[in-house]
Amino acid sequence: MAEQKATNVYWHEGEVTRAERAQLLGQKGATIWFTGLSGSGKSTVAVALEKALHQQGRLVYRLDGDNVRLGINKNLGFSAEDRAENIRRIGEIAKLFVDAGVIVLSSFVSPYRADRDMVRKLHDDGGMDFVEVFVDVPLAEAEKRDPKGLYKKARAGRIPNFTGIGSAYERPEKPDLRIDTSALSADEAANRVIGELVARGIVPG
């Protein structure tokens, strides 16, 4: 966890509770954390899920790896330290959304178990729902898709420490949900996630 450098700062509660916001929205806030190799289908499934939940009248927002790195995390690279800080910041942002009652769809490679566990703990400590979804495809399949041409660049030595090629991806040992996008369409995968959300009482059946 990052060191707390600012002193004399305290969390200030308002007069509207998280439960009251959930009642207003008809849903519980939660973070759905998609993890997997580049090209595994994380963002594609998250986009399909966002659309499906929106059509059901759910308040949902998608945090995407590239989108976040173009803004709040634009000063971070891809060293192990920067990757950890990238995920920590995203976890804190997701917590704020969840507190507001939003269903957050976070799609990030997030290759290290320790970083993913840290984000889960952030939510657990706040009494918030966190669902880890492992978008699992073989490296060969992800590399064959290569939608951004990143694997090709990594193989050519133009992207050092690229996950799956020059840097390891630590597979989740006990994800809340595992999805194989080589066997499921994006819509089918989204429906699997919705089923998990219903089972957990995050959205009504």
Side-chain angles (χ1 to χ4, degrees):
M1 297 290 285
E3 178 187 357
Q4 176 69 52
K5 292 186 176 180
T7 58
N8 299 311
V9 291
Y10 307 92
W11 184 265
H12 290 264
E13 294 288 351
E15 295 188 4
V16 179
T17 68
R18 189 184 306 155
E20 288 170 332
R21 288 189 284 269
Q23 185 176 18
L24 177 68
L25 295 170
Q27 66 183 44
K28 288 177 65 179
T31 292
I32 318 305
W33 191 274
F34 294 93
T35 178
L37 293 168
S38 178
S40 62
K42 300 180 302 299
S43 295
T44 302
V45 174
V47 166
L49 179 59
E50 181 182 39
K51 182 178 179 180
L53 288 171
H54 177 75
Q55 290 175 338
Q56 293 180 10
R58 304 296 157 211
L59 183 59
V60 58
Y61 190 79
R62 185 173 50 85
L63 295 172
D64 183 80
D66 282 1
N67 294 354
V68 171
R69 282 186 175 275
L70 284 168
I72 195 167
N73 288 351
K74 66 192 299 182
N75 65 320
L76 298 177
F78 290 92
S79 68
E81 294 78 10
D82 279 4
R83 286 176 187 265
E85 176 61 13
N86 181 56
I87 297 305
R88 187 196 68 80
R89 291 183 194 178
I90 294 160
E92 294 286 0
I93 292 168
K95 267 186 60 181
L96 294 174
F97 274 99
V98 173
D99 194 44
V102 179
I103 298 170
V104 186
L105 311 181
S106 299
S107 47
F108 300 88
V109 174
S110 46
Y112 304 127
R113 291 191 195 100
D115 295 340
R116 299 191 300 264
D117 290 345
M118 175 268 297
V119 178
R120 182 186 291 276
K121 187 175 186 303
L122 283 176
H123 286 70
D124 288 348
D125 289 349
M128 300 176 177
D129 285 285
F130 178 88
V131 182
E132 183 182 62
V133 179
F134 178 27
V135 185
D136 185 14
V137 298
L139 173 61
E141 175 64 23
E143 190 166 358
K144 183 173 70 175
R145 296 173 181 177
D146 203 11
K148 302 174 186 177
L150 299 178
Y151 285 99
K152 185 176 180 180
K153 291 179 181 179
R155 292 292 187 190
R158 294 166 59 192
I159 305 179
N161 301 320
F162 185 73
T163 302
I165 305 299
S167 181
Y169 175 80
E170 298 175 359
R171 295 167 59 90
E173 295 176 333
K174 294 181 180 179
D176 298 303
L177 187 64
R178 176 186 170 276
I179 290 173
D180 180 356
T181 57
S182 65
L184 296 173
S185 69
D187 288 337
E188 289 170 335
N191 285 334
R192 290 274 185 94
V193 180
I194 290 173
E196 183 72 16
L197 302 186
V198 171
R200 290 171 177 261
I202 294 169
V203 297

